[in-house]
Amino acid sequence: MVSKGPVLRLLTAINRRRMKLLMGLAFVAYVASVWGNFVNMRSLQENGDLKVESKIEEAVAPLREKIKDLEKSFTQKYPPVKFLSEKDRKRILITGGAGFVGSHLTDKLMMDGHEVTVVDNFFTGRKRNVEHWIGHENFELINHDVVEPLYIEVDQIYHLASPASPPNYMYNPIKTLKTNTIGTLNMLGLAKRVGARLLLASTSEVYGDPEVHPQNEDYWGHVNPIGPRACYDEGKRVAETMCYAYMKQEGVEVRVARIFNTFGPRMHMNDGRVVSNFILQALQGEPLTVYGPGTQTRAFQYVSDLVNGLVALMNSNVSSPVNLGNPEEHTILEFAQLIKKLVGSGSEIQFLSEAQDDPQKRKPDIRKAKLMLGWEPVVPLEEGLNKAIHYFRKELEYQANNQYIPKPKPARMKKGRTRHN
Ligand SMILES: O=c1ccn([C@@H]2O[C@H](COP(=O)(O)OP(=O)(O)O[C@H]3OC[C@@H](O)[C@H](O)[C@H]3O)[C@@H](O)[C@H]2O)c(=O)[nH]1
């Protein structure tokens, strides 16, 4: 047996220590490389994760918005409505309640806390105008033509049903006459049966092409009974006559509002009245069509002013006719220029032939409404026009998305057979 000498033992001890050191270093290098790879992979993974996450976020964001909208539509389904006690809450019928003025009146009466029944045949009215109330416990929408009788229990009737724009009421003059005569008789009959108060939406057109300026309620008017506007003018005149016959003979409580030119959101794109025509033409860069030389005058009120006036009149004790309008008078040419300016449009102004029997001057005398109702318009013309311009801009976008852009309708009488009779 060979025994290890002291030198050999020393060398072995040194080698062992070196080995240990080497192994220690190798271990540290291994740990460092594993850590390095780990860190590297993590940052690669994080980068990838971030990309994937941002892609997912991109896809999900619109869905999230949709869910929010849906949640909102469930939680805030209806505009806020006041609570009215049984004693103060009225059952109110609005004929033509899905139309331009009718739908704004519906909004006001609903928000005031009343029970509102809208009756409309959707000739010029649209479900869209009142869809935000559908399903509300205080609201009812009935597809019905006032030319047929109606049997419901109500306390007040706002009788607005009738086409109001010249191209619309001239489209089917017989239907316009039936609506304003038979329709009004039916509503007065209903008012008599259930003891309701009826407000007739009459018009400044009862003054015809006036020879008195401005027009006050005592003026009897200057109407051509056989002209193209007669179906509306005379229809409304006889509707007023019917109201006072029912008042005198049957004791029905009546209110008569003579409504002057009114404009605002929810006018139909195809309405054909001057405000919607000019705004749509200006927005689309088309010529603004002025009928005649544009020297005829009108005074325009914003729809919210009219609605306040209608409600004030209904709840007053004034049974004689009351003018509701804004007395700020302009020529139609001035009006075209103002709309062009407000829209910022480069449209030309085009002069077309004059419309037959077009009233040359119109401006309401509203002293009676001020005195008896404490009412007067408060919305300045430009402010109202800007709201209407905003509305029509949105409507054009909406129609463009639906691939349909109606052209403003000219005020010409339609010949031949029509759909509504
Ligand atoms: O594109 C158009 C449209 C109309 N006009 C003119 O602008 C004036 C106003 O015409 P509108 O069609 O808006 O309304 P009108 O004043 O003739 O009738 C209105 O009167 C009061 C309401 O009861 C009714 O809403 C409606 O009958 C008229 O002189 C008409 O000839 C144009 O110059 N260009």
Side-chain angles (χ1 to χ4, degrees):
M1 199 171 152
V2 183
S3 69
K4 288 178 190 166
V7 177
L8 191 63
R9 269 205 305 273
L10 183 66
L11 278 176
T12 315
I14 290 171
N15 273 347
R16 228 183 274 141
R17 230 176 268 154
R18 198 184 273 163
M19 280 296 288
K20 272 187 195 164
L21 191 66
L22 277 175
M23 277 180 63
L25 281 174
F27 180 70
V28 170
Y30 173 73
V31 169
S33 93
V34 168
W35 178 250
N37 278 346
F38 176 70
V39 168
N40 231 354
M41 274 178 60
R42 250 188 77 163
S43 81
L44 275 176
Q45 198 180 340
E46 269 172 10
N47 269 347
D49 282 356
L50 274 180
K51 271 191 196 147
V52 173
E53 260 173 32
S54 78
K55 280 247 147 58
I56 292 174
E57 185 54 34
E58 252 173 48
V60 164
L63 294 176
R64 203 172 279 139
E65 283 306 306
K66 273 231 154 81
I67 290 170
K68 263 193 212 153
D69 286 349
L70 275 174
E71 278 172 353
K72 252 196 224 155
S73 72
F74 277 115
T75 50
Q76 313 168 346
K77 194 165 179 198
Y78 303 108
V81 163
K82 249 189 237 164
F83 174 77
L84 282 186
S85 66
E86 196 70 23
K87 161 176 82 68
D88 297 324
R89 192 179 338 136
K90 296 204 163 54
R91 296 162 304 171
I92 300 175
L93 167 64
I94 307 177
T95 73
F100 157 53
V101 173
S103 64
H104 287 282
L105 179 62
T106 299
D107 286 352
K108 165 139 183 76
L109 295 173
M110 281 295 295
M111 292 199 276
D112 284 351
H114 297 291
E115 288 173 25
V116 176
T117 300
V118 163
V119 158
D120 211 297
N121 69 351
F122 300 107
F123 173 43
T124 55
R126 284 175 301 172
K127 215 174 191 175
R128 248 179 90 200
N129 290 343
V130 288
E131 69 181 354
H132 46 286
W133 295 115
I134 289 173
H136 193 286
E137 59 179 329
N138 287 353
F139 181 76
E140 185 85 43
L141 175 62
I142 305 178
N143 185 339
H144 176 88
D145 193 321
V146 290
V147 165
E148 306 298 332
L150 180 70
Y151 301 95
I152 56 171
E153 292 295 323
V154 284
D155 306 308
Q156 293 186 339
I157 303 170
Y158 287 86
H159 179 38
L160 273 58
S162 171
S165 115
N168 284 338
Y169 64 64
M170 290 181 204
Y171 174 78
N172 188 340
I174 299 171
K175 181 68 182 173
T176 303
L177 277 165
K178 283 185 183 172
T179 305
N180 281 296
T181 55
I182 304 170
T184 303
L185 276 178
N186 282 335
M187 290 309 111
L188 283 164
L190 174 65
K192 178 189 149 193
R193 263 195 313 277
V194 300
R197 181 180 289 180
L198 180 141
L199 180 147
L200 172 72
S202 185
T203 169
S204 52
E205 295 233 11
V206 297
Y207 302 124
D209 187 3
E211 291 159 317
V212 165
H213 194 78
Q215 297 79 52
N216 67 39
E217 292 85 351
D218 295 331
Y219 177 48
W220 288 0
H222 180 228
V223 174
N224 174 1
I226 56 167
R229 303 174 85 98
C231 57
Y232 185 71
D233 300 7
E234 296 290 17
K236 289 289 187 187
R237 284 167 70 93
V238 76
E240 288 195 10
T241 311
M242 288 169 178
C243 286
Y244 294 108
Y246 268 77
M247 182 176 96
K248 283 175 195 135
Q249 193 176 323
E250 304 291 350
V252 173
E253 284 189 32
V254 298
R255 303 287 179 263
V256 173
R258 290 188 178 153
I259 303 172
F260 283 67
N261 296 64
T262 306
F263 72 96
R266 299 196 194 143
M267 285 183 98
H268 202 291
M269 302 262 283
N270 250 339
D271 182 278
R273 272 176 283 189
V274 74
V275 179
S276 49
N277 274 8
F278 283 178
I279 294 178
L280 284 167
Q281 288 161 341
L283 284 172
Q284 293 176 99
E286 288 176 5
L288 272 62
T289 52
V290 170
Y291 304 152
T295 48
Q296 69 272 40
T297 67
R298 292 293 187 275
F300 294 94
Q301 76 181 323
Y302 189 67
V303 65
S304 58
D305 282 333
L306 170 62
V307 163
N308 291 335
L310 291 174
V311 175
L313 176 59
M314 173 64 104
N315 297 306
S316 74
N317 53 12
V318 186
S319 58
S320 54
V322 178
N323 286 343
L324 294 177
N326 188 325
E328 188 185 321
E329 185 185 8
H330 290 277
T331 68
I332 293 302
L333 185 56
E334 280 166 8
F335 199 61
Q337 283 154 346
L338 175 62
I339 289 184
K340 261 187 63 167
K341 185 190 91 182
L342 294 179
V343 170
S345 161
S347 291
E348 290 169 13
I349 292 181
Q350 185 183 20
F351 294 91
L352 300 180
S353 57
E354 201 172 326
Q356 191 188 332
D357 294 344
D358 198 5
Q360 290 307 297
K361 266 170 146 324
R362 187 186 286 158
K363 169 184 167 156
D365 178 337
I366 58 165
R367 281 175 298 175
K368 186 169 175 183
K370 272 189 191 168
L371 188 73
M372 316 270 287
L373 310 178
W375 173 90
E376 65 181 312
V378 294
V379 181
L381 180 63
E382 291 202 9
E383 188 184 316
L385 281 176
N386 281 328
K387 287 185 184 168
I389 291 166
H390 175 76
Y391 168 78
F392 281 114
R393 224 181 231 127
K394 291 261 164 234
E395 278 296 285
L396 281 174
E397 279 168 23
Y398 175 85
Q399 303 290 358
N401 291 337
N402 288 285
Q403 316 281 306
Y404 168 66
I405 301 189
K407 293 268 178 244
K409 211 190 277 181
R412 296 283 180 273
M413 198 156 149
K414 192 173 164 71
K415 295 233 165 66
R417 267 192 76 75
T418 46
R419 266 188 316 122
H420 300 268
N421 48 32

